[in-house]
Amino acid sequence: MRGSSLELPADFDEYGWEVEAKGWFSEARIIASGVRYQINFYDQARLGQQVQDVIARRRAFFEPNLVIVPSVTRAHMEAAAEELVRSGEVHSLVAEP
């Protein structure tokens, strides 16, 4: 990810196991070409639960910068960030102000 990076909280490795168990994480950022994007990572099972919960309350489900990974781990988030940058899809994300 030349000129880009995935930014996680400094203490992420201390509670990464908990994030993986929960199946979602919204404190990650991709920085690409000086632009910051807050990313909402979910695993498929957790996303399904979230969608069901929201729809049950008769609301539409939406989530900006949603990225689905096999498991919400550092390795999967880094791989997804690399793919977003490599493919150019990072430019379809909503940048932070």
Side-chain angles (χ1 to χ4, degrees):
M1 287 192 340
R2 190 174 300 144
S4 61
S5 63
L6 176 69
E7 183 179 86
L8 299 172
D11 60 347
F12 178 82
D13 289 331
E14 295 175 21
Y15 60 88
W17 63 271
E18 186 177 353
V19 169
E20 183 178 7
K22 287 184 353 184
W24 68 275
F25 189 64
S26 62
E27 297 301 317
R29 286 172 176 65
I30 294 175
I31 298 128
S33 302
V35 180
R36 293 171 54 93
Y37 305 90
Q38 181 179 355
I39 305 300
N40 297 301
F41 285 104
Y42 279 83
D43 67 27
Q44 187 175 0
R46 181 65 180 111
L47 178 62
Q49 293 168 351
Q50 184 70 15
V51 169
Q52 286 179 343
D53 290 348
V54 171
I55 298 300
R57 293 187 303 244
R58 302 189 194 282
R59 295 177 43 199
F61 176 82
F62 58 93
E63 183 101 21
N65 297 350
L66 178 64
V67 177
I68 310 307
V69 290
S71 181
V72 186
T73 63
R74 176 185 287 274
H76 286 295
M77 290 188 289
E78 286 174 345
E82 288 176 16
E83 176 62 20
L84 283 166
V85 171
R86 186 194 60 72
S87 68
E89 290 295 322
V90 72
H91 301 296
S92 67
L93 299 173
V94 177
E96 291 185 335

